[in-house]
């Protein structure tokens, strides 16, 4: 009975968001007021929890920096130059380029153990190439989620390995075939989306409106593409280069500074225009993170009721034959409202499996399920990054992703029956 009462705020959020189609902050506010009444939470503690949610979102400095850098590079013509070069090589097969960029996103996320910062750089490039195609966005989200939950450099993988009682490297190796499976599916989904819907980028819109795209020589395009390529390489391989030389040169702040210098030198923008573009580039992501932070604060209030712990405890009551599939599904569901901290979701689920002596693959499937669930969570910073890169509302991405993440969850449940 207590669980049913504690679920009321979650149900309210779903009703306000889906049925009444109101803003996520409206849903969070109404639900948190109900949670305060149910849990008799005082206003001082509630205000502190909301402030904590905002602080959490603004602690993600890398996405903010890279968002600003991506806009600056875009205004300097860097991304458009790469797309123009790709079109000359691929001609009418630009969908393959979108699929390739999903693979690049996956590689960058796997190496770094986190995805939002990489998304901030790669998403605008994909957006310029093919536009905001739902399947492309979902493909990027899926590849990112699987990679940051199985990377040997991520907190999520460390938690899963500890729950399984094995070395992190061994666990990551055990999960690698499944990582590759979902990454390839994400890339294939992107290619399929472009094939299904076609491409309508900024340049093609201008052509459709009667404005001819100015022909630029390959040499000039390569020069303009240097800042974008440099930023991409620093984001993907910066940590490896640092380890190679034994000194931290390539960090988010230095990467942005180096990129800004290259834009000022190699793009049509002046130094002043470069600085203005860098400042302007942070506006959208900061606004998005502020809204998401308030919503996360409301979720924190609801979490005080112990709802998510109670849901996780239900897994232990399932029959042994289906306990892993149940844990996979529960991990996905809990991650939707509390998806800002995927590691926090796993901290609720994995201890139960650990007590039951489940193998590494079971822990890995639960971790992947949580990652997939975060990609339909309005408080997930990677969705904020996708929203910024593709200039699409966060809730629109959540709705578009839901179908594809549900399919990925179904495949994961099947894997949990076969490989555990």
């Amino acid at each position: 009975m207590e669980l049913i009462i504690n679920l009321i705020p979650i149900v309210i959020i779903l009703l306000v968001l889906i049925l009444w189609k109101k803003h996520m902050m409206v849903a969070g506010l109404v639900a948190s007021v109900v949670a305060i009444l149910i849990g008799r939470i005082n206003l001082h503690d509630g205000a502190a929890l909301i402030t904590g949610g905002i602080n959490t979102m603004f602690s993600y400095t890398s996405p903010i920096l890279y968002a600003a850098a991506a806009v600056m590079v875009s205004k300097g013509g860097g991304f458009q130059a790469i797309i123009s070069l790709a079109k000359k090589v691929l001609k009418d097969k630009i969908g393959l380029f979108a699929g390739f960029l999903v693979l690049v996103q996956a590689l960058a996320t796997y190496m770094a153990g986190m995805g939002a910062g990489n998304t901030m750089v790669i998403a605008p490039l994909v957006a310029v190439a093919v536009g905001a195609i739902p399947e492309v966005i979902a493909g990027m989200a899926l590849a990112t989620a699987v990679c940051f939950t199985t990377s040997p450099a991520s907190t999520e993988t460390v938690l899963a390995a500890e729950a399984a009682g094995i070395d992190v490297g061994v666990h990551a190796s055990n999960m690698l075939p499944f990582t590759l499976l979902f990454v390839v599916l994400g890339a294939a989904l992107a290619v399929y989306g472009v094939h299904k819907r076609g491409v309508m980028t900024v340049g093609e819109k201008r052509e459709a409106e009667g404005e001819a795209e100015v022909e630029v020589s390959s040499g000039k395009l390569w020069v303009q593409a240097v800042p974008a390529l440099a930023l991409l390489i620093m984001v993907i391989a910066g940590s490896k280069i640092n380890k190679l030389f034994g000194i931290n040169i390539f960090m988010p702040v230095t990467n942005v500074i180096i990129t800004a210098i290259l834009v000022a030198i190699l793009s049509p923008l002046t130094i002043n225009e470069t600085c203005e573009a860098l400042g302007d580039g942070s506006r959208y992501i900061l606004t998005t993170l502020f809204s998401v932070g308030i919503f996360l604060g409301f979720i924190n209030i609801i979490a005080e009721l112990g709802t998510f712990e109670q849901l996780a405890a239900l897994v232990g009551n399932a029959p042994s034959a289906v306990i892993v599939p149940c844990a996979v599904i529960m991990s996905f569901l809990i991650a939707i409202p509390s998806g800002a901290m995927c590691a926090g979701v796993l901290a609720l689920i994995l201890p139960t499996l650990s007590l039951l002596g489940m193998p590494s693959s079971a822990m890995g499937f639960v971790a992947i399920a949580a990652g997939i669930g975060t990609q339909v969570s309005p408080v997930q910073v990677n969705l904020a990054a996708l929203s910024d890169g593709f200039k699409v509302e966060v809730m629109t991405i959540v709705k578009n992703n839901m179908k594809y993440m549900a399919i990925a969850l179904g495949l994961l449940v099947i894997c949990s029956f076969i490989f555990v």
Side-chain angles (χ1 to χ4, degrees):
M1 185 65 183
E2 182 183 0
L3 175 58
I4 294 174
I5 293 174
N6 289 344
L7 279 173
I8 292 174
I10 302 295
V11 174
I12 289 173
I13 287 178
L14 295 175
L15 288 175
V16 175
L17 284 176
I18 299 171
L19 192 61
W20 297 334
K21 301 184 186 302
K22 299 299 182 182
H23 194 279
M24 63 179 174
M25 285 198 286
V26 176
L29 175 60
V30 175
S32 63
V33 169
V34 173
I36 287 173
L37 295 175
I38 292 173
R40 297 178 181 178
I41 301 168
N42 66 63
L43 290 179
H44 180 271
D45 292 341
L49 290 168
I50 294 173
T51 302
I54 297 172
N55 289 339
T56 297
M57 297 313 296
F58 280 107
S59 67
Y60 296 111
T61 54
S62 293
I64 296 171
L65 286 167
Y66 287 140
V71 172
M72 175 184 64
V73 169
S74 179
K75 288 187 176 181
F79 292 142
Q80 187 59 57
I82 292 177
I83 301 308
S84 297
L85 289 168
K87 283 181 178 179
K88 289 188 177 185
V89 175
L90 297 172
K91 300 192 185 302
D92 59 343
K93 298 179 181 177
I94 198 69
L96 295 177
F97 186 61
F100 171 74
L101 288 176
V102 171
L103 296 178
V104 171
Q105 167 74 4
L107 176 63
T109 302
Y110 194 82
M111 291 173 65
M114 57 186 69
N118 309 315
T119 303
M120 274 301 175
V121 177
I122 297 172
L125 184 56
V126 181
V128 172
V130 298
I133 297 176
E135 290 82 4
V136 174
I137 297 173
M140 284 191 69
L142 177 60
T144 301
V146 173
C147 286
F148 78 68
T149 51
T150 58
S151 164
S154 74
T155 304
E156 290 79 9
T157 305
V158 170
L159 288 172
E162 288 178 350
I166 63 172
D167 179 74
V168 174
V170 174
H171 174 72
S173 179
N174 292 341
M175 296 308 299
L176 188 57
F178 305 104
T179 304
L180 294 174
L181 170 64
F182 283 98
V183 166
V184 170
L185 288 176
L189 181 60
V191 174
Y192 165 75
V194 176
H195 175 74
K196 174 185 176 183
R197 301 176 188 271
V199 176
M200 194 63 175
T201 60
V202 174
E204 289 176 334
K205 285 180 181 178
R206 286 176 179 170
E207 288 180 8
E209 293 168 1
E211 297 181 34
E213 198 170 358
V214 179
E215 185 69 26
V216 181
S217 67
S218 294
K220 189 173 182 179
L221 287 174
W222 277 111
V223 170
Q224 289 186 353
V226 167
L229 292 172
L231 179 60
L232 195 61
I233 291 169
M234 287 187 289
V235 169
I236 295 173
S239 60
K240 297 295 182 183
I241 298 173
N242 290 340
K243 289 180 181 178
L244 182 64
F245 290 100
I247 182 173
N248 288 330
I249 300 172
F250 299 107
M251 299 170 288
V253 171
T254 53
N255 293 347
V256 172
I257 292 172
I258 292 169
T259 304
I261 293 171
L262 291 173
V263 169
I265 295 172
L266 300 176
S267 82
L269 299 182
T270 65
I271 293 176
N272 286 346
E273 288 172 339
T274 299
C275 294
E276 289 173 2
L278 184 63
D280 290 343
S282 65
R283 291 180 182 176
Y284 184 86
I285 186 65
L286 288 173
T287 301
T288 301
L289 289 178
F290 179 72
S291 298
V292 171
I294 293 176
F295 183 74
L296 177 59
F298 293 143
I299 294 297
N300 288 342
I301 292 174
I302 295 170
E304 286 293 296
L305 299 177
T307 308
F308 302 127
E309 289 86 347
Q310 291 169 339
L311 288 172
L314 290 177
V315 173
N317 298 324
S320 58
V322 295
I323 194 166
V324 176
C326 286
V328 165
I329 295 171
M330 188 64 72
S331 180
F332 175 85
L333 293 175
I334 292 177
I336 295 175
S338 57
M341 297 294 291
C342 185
V345 175
L346 296 179
L348 298 175
I349 299 288
L350 292 179
T352 299
L353 296 186
S354 179
L355 292 173
L356 297 172
M358 290 293 174
S360 169
S361 57
M363 308 303 180
F365 291 147
V366 171
I368 292 174
I372 293 173
T374 64
Q375 302 309 299
V376 286
S377 171
V379 295
Q380 167 56 217
V381 70
N382 188 60
L383 290 197
L386 288 168
S387 171
D388 183 41
F390 286 95
K391 297 296 179 284
V392 177
E393 292 293 329
V394 171
M395 287 309 301
T396 300
I397 294 178
V398 168
K399 293 173 185 176
N400 291 337
N401 278 2
M402 183 62 77
K403 175 173 65 175
Y404 302 106
M405 298 306 127
I407 293 172
L409 175 66
L411 179 58
L412 197 60
V413 169
I414 293 172
C415 289
S416 69
F417 274 112
I418 298 174
F419 297 103
V420 175

